Amino acid sequence: GENVEQHPSTLSVQEGDSAVIKCTYSDSASNYFPWYKQELGKRPQLIIDIRSNVGEKKDQRIAVTLNKTAKHFSLHITETQPEDSAVYFCAATHSDYGGATNKLIFGTGTLLAVQP
Amino acid sequence: DGGITQSPKYLFRKEGQNVTLSCEQNLNHDAMYWYRQDPGQGLRLIYYSQIVNDFQKGDIAEGYSVSREKKESFPLTVTSAQKNPTAFYLCASSIADGDEQFFGPGTRLTVL
């Protein structure tokens, strides 16, 4: 079936360094790619998203890039801070039932640890 | 995402019992979803509903059932047929399927 692969599963960086998390997807019709941050015991929260008609989107220290040809997208966090420590999930839309539904397929998550 | 709530926060169940998890939203969203989260496996889709009175199975629907009688509510029943029900359950909603999903705070179910 359709899937989204996410790497790495864990990432440790020093405060102030950059962090990059990468995802690949298999459905060429995918057109929406959100990134969620989940702190321990909390709900996932959207931090940034991108649609297929855009190659890059930035919001302060966070950016997402999309390569539709290669079917991969990446999350970039610059100037990392300890409060960035969390699990990050990527996702991509997948059409089902002949295009009648359009659900999200999630990656398996990346545990980011920012060392002070 | 304060407009989507789940109850209870923690739930304990004996083996062989059915249990129903509540999910309510006041965001006027058409689409609602149920996910199961286990360590190291991300979010797996159990059931989803694009519109009231309609729902579809997700990737791991066996042992679960849902209803969507009202736009605001999408309860999930974990039946005794679910062999390994202990997990963190997340409900979400979106304006339409394929759009940004807003998550509830989750229910942690433990089978004793």
Short mmCIF file of all heavy atoms in Angstrom, two decimals, chain B residues 16-75:
data_model
loop_
_atom_site.label_atom_id
_atom_site.label_comp_id
_atom_site.label_asym_id
_atom_site.label_seq_id
_atom_site.Cartn_x
_atom_site.Cartn_y
_atom_site.Cartn_z
N GLY B 16 -12.07 -8.54 27.42
CA GLY B 16 -13.40 -9.03 27.08
C GLY B 16 -14.48 -7.97 27.12
O GLY B 16 -15.62 -8.24 26.75
N GLN B 17 -14.13 -6.77 27.57
CA GLN B 17 -15.12 -5.69 27.65
C GLN B 17 -15.01 -4.77 26.45
O GLN B 17 -13.91 -4.47 25.99
CB GLN B 17 -14.91 -4.86 28.92
CG GLN B 17 -15.29 -5.56 30.20
CD GLN B 17 -15.09 -4.68 31.42
OE1 GLN B 17 -14.29 -3.74 31.39
NE2 GLN B 17 -15.82 -4.97 32.48
N ASN B 18 -16.15 -4.29 25.97
CA ASN B 18 -16.15 -3.22 24.98
C ASN B 18 -16.04 -1.89 25.71
O ASN B 18 -16.49 -1.75 26.86
CB ASN B 18 -17.46 -3.23 24.18
CG ASN B 18 -17.57 -4.43 23.28
OD1 ASN B 18 -16.65 -5.25 23.19
ND2 ASN B 18 -18.71 -4.56 22.63
N VAL B 19 -15.45 -0.91 25.05
CA VAL B 19 -15.35 0.41 25.65
C VAL B 19 -15.47 1.46 24.54
O VAL B 19 -15.02 1.23 23.42
CB VAL B 19 -14.01 0.58 26.41
CG1 VAL B 19 -12.82 0.45 25.47
CG2 VAL B 19 -13.96 1.87 27.18
N THR B 20 -16.12 2.58 24.86
CA THR B 20 -16.33 3.63 23.86
C THR B 20 -15.58 4.89 24.25
O THR B 20 -15.70 5.37 25.38
CB THR B 20 -17.83 3.94 23.71
OG1 THR B 20 -18.50 2.76 23.24
CG2 THR B 20 -18.04 5.06 22.69
N LEU B 21 -14.81 5.41 23.30
CA LEU B 21 -14.06 6.64 23.48
C LEU B 21 -14.82 7.78 22.79
O LEU B 21 -15.27 7.64 21.65
CB LEU B 21 -12.67 6.51 22.86
CG LEU B 21 -11.60 5.73 23.62
CD1 LEU B 21 -12.01 4.30 23.92
CD2 LEU B 21 -10.30 5.74 22.84
N SER B 22 -14.90 8.89 23.49
CA SER B 22 -15.67 10.03 22.99
C SER B 22 -14.78 11.01 22.24
O SER B 22 -13.63 11.25 22.63
CB SER B 22 -16.35 10.73 24.16
OG SER B 22 -16.88 11.98 23.76
N CYS B 23 -15.31 11.60 21.16
CA CYS B 23 -14.63 12.67 20.43
C CYS B 23 -15.69 13.68 19.98
O CYS B 23 -16.65 13.31 19.29
CB CYS B 23 -13.88 12.13 19.23
SG CYS B 23 -13.07 13.43 18.26
N GLU B 24 -15.51 14.93 20.39
CA GLU B 24 -16.45 15.99 20.04
C GLU B 24 -15.68 17.19 19.49
O GLU B 24 -14.63 17.54 20.00
CB GLU B 24 -17.23 16.44 21.29
CG GLU B 24 -17.98 15.32 22.01
CD GLU B 24 -19.31 15.00 21.35
OE1 GLU B 24 -19.89 15.89 20.70
OE2 GLU B 24 -19.76 13.83 21.48
N GLN B 25 -16.25 17.84 18.46
CA GLN B 25 -15.63 19.06 17.93
C GLN B 25 -16.70 20.11 17.66
O GLN B 25 -17.82 19.78 17.25
CB GLN B 25 -14.81 18.75 16.65
CG GLN B 25 -15.56 18.03 15.56
CD GLN B 25 -16.11 18.90 14.46
OE1 GLN B 25 -15.93 20.12 14.46
NE2 GLN B 25 -16.80 18.28 13.51
N ASN B 26 -16.32 21.36 17.93
CA ASN B 26 -17.23 22.47 17.67
C ASN B 26 -16.65 23.41 16.61
O ASN B 26 -16.93 24.61 16.60
CB ASN B 26 -17.54 23.22 18.97
CG ASN B 26 -16.29 23.83 19.59
OD1 ASN B 26 -15.19 23.75 19.03
ND2 ASN B 26 -16.45 24.44 20.75
N LEU B 27 -15.83 22.84 15.72
CA LEU B 27 -15.16 23.60 14.68
C LEU B 27 -15.95 23.62 13.37
O LEU B 27 -15.50 24.21 12.39
CB LEU B 27 -13.77 23.00 14.43
CG LEU B 27 -12.85 22.98 15.66
CD1 LEU B 27 -11.63 22.11 15.41
CD2 LEU B 27 -12.44 24.40 16.02
N ASN B 28 -17.09 22.94 13.36
CA ASN B 28 -17.92 22.83 12.16
C ASN B 28 -17.19 22.10 11.03
O ASN B 28 -17.40 22.39 9.84
CB ASN B 28 -18.40 24.20 11.68
CG ASN B 28 -19.63 24.10 10.77
OD1 ASN B 28 -20.45 23.20 10.93
ND2 ASN B 28 -19.73 24.99 9.81
N HIS B 29 -16.31 21.17 11.41
CA HIS B 29 -15.57 20.40 10.43
C HIS B 29 -16.39 19.23 9.92
O HIS B 29 -17.09 18.55 10.68
CB HIS B 29 -14.27 19.87 11.05
CG HIS B 29 -13.24 20.93 11.23
ND1 HIS B 29 -12.04 20.70 11.91
CD2 HIS B 29 -13.18 22.22 10.83
CE1 HIS B 29 -11.32 21.80 11.90
NE2 HIS B 29 -11.99 22.73 11.24
N ASP B 30 -16.27 18.97 8.62
CA ASP B 30 -16.99 17.84 8.04
C ASP B 30 -16.29 16.51 8.31
O ASP B 30 -16.92 15.50 8.51
CB ASP B 30 -17.14 18.02 6.52
CG ASP B 30 -18.27 18.98 6.17
OD1 ASP B 30 -19.31 18.93 6.84
OD2 ASP B 30 -18.10 19.76 5.22
N ALA B 31 -14.95 16.51 8.25
CA ALA B 31 -14.20 15.27 8.32
C ALA B 31 -13.67 15.01 9.74
O ALA B 31 -13.23 15.93 10.43
CB ALA B 31 -13.03 15.30 7.34
N MET B 32 -13.72 13.76 10.15
CA MET B 32 -13.19 13.35 11.45
C MET B 32 -12.46 12.02 11.31
O MET B 32 -12.76 11.24 10.41
CB MET B 32 -14.31 13.26 12.49
CG MET B 32 -15.01 14.59 12.75
SD MET B 32 -16.19 14.57 14.10
CE MET B 32 -15.09 14.53 15.54
N TYR B 33 -11.49 11.82 12.22
CA TYR B 33 -10.58 10.68 12.09
C TYR B 33 -10.28 10.09 13.47
O TYR B 33 -10.25 10.81 14.47
CB TYR B 33 -9.24 11.14 11.48
CG TYR B 33 -9.37 12.00 10.26
CD1 TYR B 33 -9.59 13.37 10.39
CD2 TYR B 33 -9.25 11.47 8.99
CE1 TYR B 33 -9.72 14.18 9.27
CE2 TYR B 33 -9.36 12.28 7.86
CZ TYR B 33 -9.60 13.63 8.02
OH TYR B 33 -9.71 14.43 6.91
N TRP B 34 -9.97 8.80 13.47
CA TRP B 34 -9.44 8.14 14.66
C TRP B 34 -8.11 7.49 14.31
O TRP B 34 -8.01 6.77 13.31
CB TRP B 34 -10.39 7.07 15.19
CG TRP B 34 -11.43 7.60 16.12
CD1 TRP B 34 -12.75 7.80 15.87
CD2 TRP B 34 -11.21 7.99 17.48
NE1 TRP B 34 -13.38 8.29 16.98
CE2 TRP B 34 -12.46 8.43 17.99
CE3 TRP B 34 -10.10 8.02 18.33
CZ2 TRP B 34 -12.63 8.87 19.30
CZ3 TRP B 34 -10.26 8.47 19.62
CH2 TRP B 34 -11.51 8.89 20.10
N TYR B 35 -7.10 7.78 15.16
CA TYR B 35 -5.77 7.19 15.01
C TYR B 35 -5.40 6.43 16.28
O TYR B 35 -5.80 6.80 17.37
CB TYR B 35 -4.71 8.27 14.78
CG TYR B 35 -4.84 9.02 13.48
CD1 TYR B 35 -5.55 10.22 13.43
CD2 TYR B 35 -4.24 8.57 12.32
CE1 TYR B 35 -5.66 10.94 12.25
CE2 TYR B 35 -4.35 9.27 11.13
CZ TYR B 35 -5.06 10.46 11.11
OH TYR B 35 -5.17 11.15 9.94
N ARG B 36 -4.57 5.46 16.06
CA ARG B 36 -3.95 4.75 17.19
C ARG B 36 -2.46 5.06 17.14
O ARG B 36 -1.84 5.03 16.06
CB ARG B 36 -4.20 3.26 17.04
CG ARG B 36 -3.42 2.40 18.02
CD ARG B 36 -3.69 0.94 17.83
NE ARG B 36 -2.78 0.16 18.65
CZ ARG B 36 -3.12 -0.93 19.31
NH1 ARG B 36 -4.37 -1.40 19.22
NH2 ARG B 36 -2.25 -1.58 20.04
N GLN B 37 -1.87 5.34 18.31
CA GLN B 37 -0.44 5.62 18.38
C GLN B 37 0.22 4.65 19.33
O GLN B 37 -0.12 4.57 20.51
CB GLN B 37 -0.19 7.08 18.83
CG GLN B 37 1.27 7.46 18.74
CD GLN B 37 1.50 8.94 18.98
OE1 GLN B 37 0.78 9.59 19.74
NE2 GLN B 37 2.51 9.49 18.32
N ASP B 38 1.19 3.91 18.80
CA ASP B 38 2.03 3.01 19.60
C ASP B 38 3.47 3.50 19.47
O ASP B 38 3.84 4.10 18.46
CB ASP B 38 1.93 1.58 19.08
CG ASP B 38 0.53 1.01 19.22
OD1 ASP B 38 0.17 0.66 20.36
OD2 ASP B 38 -0.19 0.94 18.22
N PRO B 39 4.29 3.24 20.47
CA PRO B 39 5.69 3.71 20.41
C PRO B 39 6.39 3.22 19.15
O PRO B 39 6.35 2.03 18.83
CB PRO B 39 6.30 3.10 21.68
CG PRO B 39 5.15 2.91 22.60
CD PRO B 39 3.98 2.54 21.72
N GLY B 40 7.04 4.14 18.46
CA GLY B 40 7.83 3.78 17.29
C GLY B 40 7.04 3.48 16.04
O GLY B 40 7.64 3.12 15.02
N GLN B 41 5.72 3.65 16.08
CA GLN B 41 4.92 3.31 14.89
C GLN B 41 4.13 4.49 14.37
O GLN B 41 3.32 4.33 13.48
CB GLN B 41 3.97 2.15 15.20
CG GLN B 41 4.68 0.85 15.52
CD GLN B 41 3.76 -0.34 15.42
OE1 GLN B 41 3.02 -0.47 14.44
NE2 GLN B 41 3.78 -1.21 16.42
N GLY B 42 4.35 5.65 14.87
CA GLY B 42 3.64 6.81 14.36
C GLY B 42 2.14 6.71 14.57
O GLY B 42 1.67 6.07 15.51
N LEU B 43 1.40 7.33 13.69
CA LEU B 43 -0.05 7.40 13.79
C LEU B 43 -0.66 6.48 12.73
O LEU B 43 -0.41 6.65 11.54
CB LEU B 43 -0.53 8.84 13.54
CG LEU B 43 0.00 9.88 14.51
CD1 LEU B 43 -0.32 11.28 14.03
CD2 LEU B 43 -0.58 9.65 15.88
N ARG B 44 -1.48 5.55 13.17
CA ARG B 44 -2.12 4.63 12.23
C ARG B 44 -3.63 4.89 12.22
O ARG B 44 -4.26 4.95 13.27
CB ARG B 44 -1.80 3.19 12.60
CG ARG B 44 -0.33 2.83 12.41
CD ARG B 44 -0.07 1.36 12.65
NE ARG B 44 -0.26 0.99 14.04
CZ ARG B 44 -0.34 -0.26 14.48
NH1 ARG B 44 -0.28 -1.27 13.61
NH2 ARG B 44 -0.47 -0.52 15.76
N LEU B 45 -4.19 4.98 11.03
CA LEU B 45 -5.59 5.37 10.86
C LEU B 45 -6.51 4.18 11.11
O LEU B 45 -6.35 3.12 10.50
CB LEU B 45 -5.79 5.92 9.44
CG LEU B 45 -7.17 6.45 9.10
CD1 LEU B 45 -7.51 7.67 9.95
CD2 LEU B 45 -7.23 6.80 7.61
N ILE B 46 -7.49 4.38 11.99
CA ILE B 46 -8.43 3.32 12.32
C ILE B 46 -9.69 3.46 11.47
O ILE B 46 -10.07 2.54 10.75
CB ILE B 46 -8.82 3.36 13.81
CG1 ILE B 46 -7.57 3.29 14.70
CG2 ILE B 46 -9.76 2.21 14.15
CD1 ILE B 46 -7.86 3.52 16.18
N TYR B 47 -10.35 4.59 11.57
CA TYR B 47 -11.55 4.91 10.79
C TYR B 47 -11.53 6.40 10.48
O TYR B 47 -10.93 7.19 11.20
CB TYR B 47 -12.82 4.60 11.59
CG TYR B 47 -13.40 3.23 11.40
CD1 TYR B 47 -13.11 2.21 12.30
CD2 TYR B 47 -14.25 2.95 10.34
CE1 TYR B 47 -13.65 0.93 12.14
CE2 TYR B 47 -14.80 1.67 10.17
CZ TYR B 47 -14.49 0.67 11.08
OH TYR B 47 -15.03 -0.59 10.92
N TYR B 48 -12.23 6.79 9.42
CA TYR B 48 -12.42 8.18 9.14
C TYR B 48 -13.79 8.41 8.53
O TYR B 48 -14.40 7.48 7.98
CB TYR B 48 -11.30 8.76 8.27
CG TYR B 48 -11.17 8.15 6.90
CD1 TYR B 48 -11.54 8.86 5.76
CD2 TYR B 48 -10.60 6.89 6.72
CE1 TYR B 48 -11.37 8.33 4.49
CE2 TYR B 48 -10.45 6.35 5.46
CZ TYR B 48 -10.83 7.07 4.35
OH TYR B 48 -10.66 6.54 3.10
N SER B 49 -14.23 9.66 8.66
CA SER B 49 -15.57 10.02 8.19
C SER B 49 -15.47 11.35 7.46
O SER B 49 -15.00 12.34 8.01
CB SER B 49 -16.53 10.15 9.38
OG SER B 49 -17.75 10.73 8.98
N GLN B 50 -15.89 11.36 6.23
CA GLN B 50 -15.86 12.60 5.45
C GLN B 50 -17.04 13.49 5.75
O GLN B 50 -16.98 14.71 5.58
CB GLN B 50 -15.88 12.29 3.96
CG GLN B 50 -14.65 11.62 3.41
CD GLN B 50 -14.85 11.30 1.94
OE1 GLN B 50 -15.56 10.37 1.58
NE2 GLN B 50 -14.24 12.10 1.09
N ILE B 51 -18.16 12.86 6.15
CA ILE B 51 -19.40 13.62 6.33
C ILE B 51 -20.30 12.81 7.25
O ILE B 51 -20.12 11.59 7.42
CB ILE B 51 -20.05 13.88 4.95
CG1 ILE B 51 -21.03 15.04 5.04
CG2 ILE B 51 -20.68 12.61 4.41
CD1 ILE B 51 -21.45 15.56 3.68
N VAL B 52 -21.25 13.48 7.85
CA VAL B 52 -22.15 12.82 8.78
C VAL B 52 -22.86 11.65 8.09
O VAL B 52 -23.15 11.70 6.89
CB VAL B 52 -23.16 13.84 9.36
CG1 VAL B 52 -24.10 14.37 8.31
CG2 VAL B 52 -23.91 13.26 10.54
N ASN B 53 -23.08 10.58 8.87
CA ASN B 53 -23.75 9.36 8.42
C ASN B 53 -22.93 8.56 7.40
O ASN B 53 -23.48 7.67 6.72
CB ASN B 53 -25.14 9.64 7.84
CG ASN B 53 -26.12 10.08 8.91
OD1 ASN B 53 -26.09 9.58 10.04
ND2 ASN B 53 -26.98 11.01 8.57
N ASP B 54 -21.64 8.83 7.31
CA ASP B 54 -20.78 8.08 6.41
C ASP B 54 -19.39 7.92 7.03
O ASP B 54 -18.90 8.85 7.66
CB ASP B 54 -20.65 8.80 5.07
CG ASP B 54 -19.90 7.96 4.05
OD1 ASP B 54 -20.18 6.75 3.94
OD2 ASP B 54 -19.01 8.51 3.37
N PHE B 55 -18.78 6.75 6.89
CA PHE B 55 -17.42 6.54 7.38
C PHE B 55 -16.78 5.40 6.60
O PHE B 55 -17.47 4.57 5.98
CB PHE B 55 -17.40 6.26 8.89
CG PHE B 55 -18.35 5.18 9.35
CD1 PHE B 55 -17.99 3.84 9.27
CD2 PHE B 55 -19.59 5.50 9.88
CE1 PHE B 55 -18.85 2.84 9.71
CE2 PHE B 55 -20.46 4.52 10.32
CZ PHE B 55 -20.09 3.18 10.23
N GLN B 56 -15.44 5.38 6.63
CA GLN B 56 -14.67 4.36 5.92
C GLN B 56 -13.63 3.75 6.85
O GLN B 56 -13.13 4.42 7.76
CB GLN B 56 -13.93 4.95 4.71
CG GLN B 56 -14.82 5.32 3.54
CD GLN B 56 -15.47 6.67 3.75
OE1 GLN B 56 -14.86 7.57 4.32
NE2 GLN B 56 -16.69 6.81 3.28
N LYS B 57 -13.27 2.51 6.58
CA LYS B 57 -12.21 1.85 7.34
C LYS B 57 -10.86 2.44 6.97
O LYS B 57 -10.61 2.76 5.80
CB LYS B 57 -12.20 0.35 7.05
CG LYS B 57 -13.42 -0.39 7.58
CD LYS B 57 -13.31 -1.88 7.29
CE LYS B 57 -14.51 -2.63 7.85
NZ LYS B 57 -14.43 -4.09 7.57
N GLY B 58 -10.01 2.54 7.97
CA GLY B 58 -8.64 2.93 7.73
C GLY B 58 -7.77 1.70 7.60
O GLY B 58 -8.24 0.64 7.18
N ASP B 59 -6.51 1.81 8.02
CA ASP B 59 -5.56 0.72 7.83
C ASP B 59 -5.65 -0.38 8.88
O ASP B 59 -5.21 -1.50 8.66
CB ASP B 59 -4.14 1.30 7.83
CG ASP B 59 -3.96 2.34 6.74
OD1 ASP B 59 -4.42 2.08 5.60
OD2 ASP B 59 -3.37 3.40 7.00
N ILE B 60 -6.23 -0.05 10.06
CA ILE B 60 -6.26 -1.03 11.15
C ILE B 60 -7.63 -1.07 11.81
O ILE B 60 -7.78 -0.97 13.01
CB ILE B 60 -5.17 -0.72 12.20
CG1 ILE B 60 -5.28 0.72 12.73
CG2 ILE B 60 -3.77 -0.94 11.62
CD1 ILE B 60 -4.47 0.96 13.99
N ALA B 61 -8.69 -1.25 11.02
CA ALA B 61 -10.06 -1.15 11.52
C ALA B 61 -10.54 -2.38 12.29
O ALA B 61 -11.52 -2.30 13.03
CB ALA B 61 -11.01 -0.88 10.36
N GLU B 62 -9.86 -3.50 12.14
CA GLU B 62 -10.34 -4.73 12.78
C GLU B 62 -10.39 -4.60 14.29
O GLU B 62 -9.42 -4.21 14.93
CB GLU B 62 -9.43 -5.90 12.40
CG GLU B 62 -9.93 -7.25 12.93
CD GLU B 62 -9.09 -8.41 12.46
OE1 GLU B 62 -8.20 -8.21 11.61
OE2 GLU B 62 -9.32 -9.53 12.96
N GLY B 63 -11.57 -4.94 14.88
CA GLY B 63 -11.73 -4.85 16.32
C GLY B 63 -12.25 -3.51 16.80
O GLY B 63 -12.39 -3.30 18.00
N TYR B 64 -12.51 -2.61 15.87
CA TYR B 64 -13.04 -1.28 16.20
C TYR B 64 -14.34 -1.03 15.44
O TYR B 64 -14.57 -1.62 14.39
CB TYR B 64 -12.03 -0.20 15.81
CG TYR B 64 -10.70 -0.28 16.48
CD1 TYR B 64 -9.61 -0.88 15.83
CD2 TYR B 64 -10.49 0.25 17.75
CE1 TYR B 64 -8.36 -0.96 16.44
CE2 TYR B 64 -9.24 0.17 18.36
CZ TYR B 64 -8.19 -0.43 17.69
OH TYR B 64 -6.96 -0.51 18.30
N SER B 65 -15.17 -0.13 15.99
CA SER B 65 -16.36 0.33 15.26
C SER B 65 -16.58 1.79 15.58
O SER B 65 -16.11 2.30 16.61
CB SER B 65 -17.59 -0.50 15.63
OG SER B 65 -17.94 -0.30 17.00
N VAL B 66 -17.26 2.49 14.68
CA VAL B 66 -17.54 3.92 14.84
C VAL B 66 -18.96 4.21 14.41
O VAL B 66 -19.63 3.39 13.78
CB VAL B 66 -16.57 4.81 14.03
CG1 VAL B 66 -15.14 4.70 14.53
CG2 VAL B 66 -16.66 4.46 12.55
N SER B 67 -19.40 5.42 14.73
CA SER B 67 -20.67 5.94 14.22
C SER B 67 -20.48 7.43 13.98
O SER B 67 -19.62 8.07 14.59
CB SER B 67 -21.81 5.69 15.20
OG SER B 67 -21.58 6.36 16.42
N ARG B 68 -21.29 7.98 13.10
CA ARG B 68 -21.23 9.43 12.84
C ARG B 68 -22.66 9.92 12.61
O ARG B 68 -23.07 10.28 11.52
CB ARG B 68 -20.37 9.71 11.60
CG ARG B 68 -20.13 11.19 11.37
CD ARG B 68 -19.01 11.77 12.14
NE ARG B 68 -18.91 13.21 12.07
CZ ARG B 68 -18.30 13.89 11.09
NH1 ARG B 68 -17.78 13.24 10.05
NH2 ARG B 68 -18.22 15.20 11.13
N GLU B 69 -23.40 9.95 13.71
CA GLU B 69 -24.80 10.35 13.64
C GLU B 69 -24.95 11.87 13.69
O GLU B 69 -25.96 12.41 13.26
CB GLU B 69 -25.57 9.68 14.78
CG GLU B 69 -25.58 8.16 14.68
CD GLU B 69 -26.27 7.49 15.85
OE1 GLU B 69 -26.75 8.22 16.76
OE2 GLU B 69 -26.34 6.26 15.88
N LYS B 70 -23.96 12.55 14.26
CA LYS B 70 -23.96 14.01 14.33
C LYS B 70 -22.65 14.54 13.79
O LYS B 70 -21.61 13.89 13.93
CB LYS B 70 -24.16 14.48 15.77
CG LYS B 70 -25.46 14.08 16.41
CD LYS B 70 -25.63 14.73 17.78
CE LYS B 70 -24.53 14.34 18.73
NZ LYS B 70 -24.69 14.96 20.07
N LYS B 71 -22.68 15.71 13.22
CA LYS B 71 -21.47 16.31 12.66
C LYS B 71 -20.41 16.52 13.73
O LYS B 71 -19.22 16.39 13.48
CB LYS B 71 -21.83 17.64 12.01
CG LYS B 71 -20.70 18.30 11.25
CD LYS B 71 -21.18 19.56 10.55
CE LYS B 71 -20.09 20.14 9.65
NZ LYS B 71 -20.57 21.34 8.93
N GLU B 72 -20.84 16.82 14.96
CA GLU B 72 -19.91 17.18 16.01
C GLU B 72 -19.26 15.98 16.70
O GLU B 72 -18.30 16.13 17.43
CB GLU B 72 -20.64 17.99 17.10
CG GLU B 72 -21.32 19.25 16.59
CD GLU B 72 -22.66 18.98 15.94
OE1 GLU B 72 -23.24 17.90 16.18
OE2 GLU B 72 -23.12 19.83 15.15
N SER B 73 -19.80 14.79 16.50
CA SER B 73 -19.41 13.65 17.31
C SER B 73 -18.99 12.45 16.48
O SER B 73 -19.64 12.11 15.48
CB SER B 73 -20.59 13.27 18.22
OG SER B 73 -20.27 12.17 19.03
N PHE B 74 -17.92 11.78 16.92
CA PHE B 74 -17.42 10.60 16.18
C PHE B 74 -16.86 9.60 17.21
O PHE B 74 -15.65 9.44 17.35
CB PHE B 74 -16.31 11.06 15.22
CG PHE B 74 -15.88 10.02 14.22
CD1 PHE B 74 -16.79 9.18 13.58
CD2 PHE B 74 -14.53 9.91 13.86
CE1 PHE B 74 -16.37 8.25 12.65
CE2 PHE B 74 -14.10 8.98 12.92
CZ PHE B 74 -15.03 8.15 12.31
N PRO B 75 -17.72 8.92 17.93
CA PRO B 75 -17.26 7.99 18.97
C PRO B 75 -16.64 6.72 18.39
O PRO B 75 -17.08 6.23 17.35
CB PRO B 75 -18.53 7.68 19.76
CG PRO B 75 -19.64 7.92 18.78
CD PRO B 75 -19.18 9.03 17.89
#
